[in-house]
Amino acid sequence: MESVARFKTRWYLSLAFKVSVTSILLILFLIFVLSLFFFNHIEKESEAELRKRGVYLAMALSHQAVEPLLYEDLFALYRLLDVFKIKKEEKAPESEEGIVEYAAVYGREEKLLAFVGKDLYRKELEDPSGFDWSGKEALILPKTSIIFEVITPIVVNTMQVGYVRIGITRAYHLKQVRSLKRELWGMAAFLTMLGVLVSLLMTRRYILPLLHVIRGAKNIGKGKWGTQIQVKGRDETAELAGTFNEMSVKLKEAFERVQRTQEKLIRSEKLNAIGKFSANLAHELKNPLTSIKLCIQAMNEPGSSGVLDMEEREMVLNDVQRMDEIISRFLVYAAPPRIHLSPVDINAFLEEVTGKYRPRMETARIRLKFFPAVDLPLVFVDRRKMEEAVGNLCLNAIQAMPDGGEIRIRTSINGSEEDVEIDIEDTGEGIDETIREHLFEPFYTTRKKGTGLGLSIVYQIIQEHGGEISLKDKKEKGTIFSILLPV
Ligand SMILES: Nc1ncnc2c1ncn2[C@@H]1O[C@H](COP(=O)(O)OP(=O)(O)OP(=O)(O)O)[C@@H](O)[C@H]1O
Ligand SMILES: [Mg+2]
């Protein structure tokens, strides 16, 4: 749950990014393929159109050349070709003649009679009778990369009297195709940008409800039960948002039910604990009270001296003292959790508190060793209560080593510098598994004179400080109690 809440999608892994990139790539691919198709088509169309115009011009020329040819009027022939002679830039590029690079008329035996154009193209005609004219009115031959030639026969009454040869340049058409291509590329770029923009907007529109769901889920994760998100439209994301809202309400109801049940449980558990505690307390007080009662009854019996002897007085005093101890420890235990925190140098504090138990330790032949950590931060503690807690742990340690031993006090700070740890170790009898589970229960004791409230009080004090107490595993004989206090 925690890891899900902390999980943050990297932008390049986000759904919006993936969908946008996919649609942009798709648009680019489509525009590219369409452009290729169009360019190919335009080039083919333009070439066909140019050939048609070339053939038309050659045919027209061959018709017009019939008469001058029959009369062998070279002057008339040249006049015919004059129309192609005008310099290119003066020719209207759209005009029919604008595409003619050179033109030649041949008479009988392929003799060149008239020619206009660059000398480069002036030449005799290779015998065109060798060409396959079957059904064709014109022959189209490639010349250079941008020029092709059209050759048509000049026919009079089915008799072939000569040929017309014209060179058609593609230069102007190629220019036109290029400018058309430029326009098309511009349009493709515009369409691509439009497509990208639309795809980004659509992606945002479709992904947005998902982002709302994620935010809503995070809010629920933070404990804002019943979080609702906007539902717009009727598509699947709107359905998801609607389902999320329903789930959120149900979760809230379920959570409140669990909370109510928990509160009920806690209340009944508390009552149970109070009942158990009172029963224990009554039981603990009943023993010394019974023994006092028996003493007094014996004193009142006929034949009795009416006074307590030395031994009886001692017994009654012990019982009263025990009751007094039980009640005063109970008062400490039951005291309201009011603590007065102040910043404390924990090493100095521990030395001071444990120092008070030194005389007792010396009589019990117990050595006290101190292992303070350097540079410990100050810890906020209630000095009086913490003294009670550490004192109880020291007393337990002393009581666990009737034949002497060693008490080691160790302080340290954990890696993240959030807690100070205090270890109180002894080399005593150790604690059995069976005892461990009852250790912090009130009135649990294995000692004859113990009240069993010592560790309960320690536990309560550490809890009030927001800390923790636990039993550490120990290889050698003995016990280690470990206290964690927040810095
Ligand atoms: N350092 C220790 N070594 C071995 N056993 C321990 C140690 N500390 C506690 N115990 C066990 O835990 C029991 C409960 O301890 P707790 O301090 O709560 O009560 P107590 O010491 O018996 O009574 P009181 O504290 O009133 O004198 C003890 O009776 C003892 O069996
Ligand atoms: Mg004790």
Side-chain angles (χ1 to χ4, degrees), residues 329 392-393 395-396 399 447 450-455:
R329 300 213 87 175
N392 274 338
L393 291 173
L395 271 182
N396 280 353
Q399 284 156 359
R447 294 189 307 107
T451 63
L453 283 173
L455 282 180

Side-chain angles (χ1 to χ4, degrees), residues 329 396-397 400 426 430-431 439 444-447 450-452 454-455 479:
R329 300 213 87 175
N396 280 353
D426 65 56
I431 302 177
L439 216 51
Y444 180 80
T445 180
T446 56
R447 294 189 307 107
T451 63
L455 282 180
T479 311

Side-chain angles (χ1 to χ4, degrees), residues 293-308 312:
K293 194 175 107 188
L294 286 177
C295 263
I296 293 172
Q297 269 174 353
M299 199 172 73
N300 284 342
E301 252 165 37
S304 151
S305 62
V307 283
L308 295 174
E312 285 167 332

Side-chain angles (χ1 to χ4, degrees), residues 392-393 396 439-440 452-460 469 481:
N392 274 338
L393 291 173
N396 280 353
L439 216 51
F440 298 105
L453 283 173
L455 282 180
S456 318
I457 291 169
V458 175
Y459 184 84
Q460 191 167 286
I469 178 161
F481 277 100

Side-chain angles (χ1 to χ4, degrees), residues 364-484:
R365 282 171 298 120
I366 293 170
R367 277 186 310 276
L368 175 66
K369 283 194 177 168
F370 197 44
F371 304 92
V374 284
D375 293 336
L376 271 193
L378 292 180
V379 183
F380 280 82
V381 297
D382 182 314
R383 293 185 74 98
R384 207 179 46 76
K385 288 204 170 191
M386 195 51 76
E387 187 174 336
E388 171 89 31
V390 175
N392 274 338
L393 291 173
C394 283
L395 271 182
N396 280 353
I398 294 169
Q399 284 156 359
M401 296 183 287
D403 302 324
E406 203 166 275
I407 293 180
R408 299 166 194 143
I409 313 274
R410 200 172 280 109
T411 57
S412 58
I413 180 129
N414 68 353
S416 53
E417 303 212 345
E418 281 168 0
D419 296 304
V420 162
E421 185 175 343
I422 305 167
D423 285 352
I424 297 177
E425 179 181 348
D426 65 56
T427 53
E429 61 208 20
I431 302 177
D432 270 8
E433 272 307 316
T434 45
I435 298 177
R436 277 175 187 236
E437 45 190 289
H438 304 288
L439 216 51
F440 298 105
E441 282 174 16
F443 298 112
Y444 180 80
T445 180
T446 56
R447 294 189 307 107
K448 226 177 168 191
K449 287 197 162 181
T451 63
L453 283 173
L455 282 180
S456 318
I457 291 169
V458 175
Y459 184 84
Q460 191 167 286
I461 291 172
I462 301 301
Q463 284 258 307
E464 282 167 14
H465 281 79
E468 276 170 38
I469 178 161
S470 58
L471 207 59
K472 262 192 181 173
D473 284 330
K474 194 170 186 264
K475 283 193 194 101
E476 322 142 38
K477 226 175 92 193
T479 311
I480 307 175
F481 277 100
S482 160
I483 297 172
L484 284 179

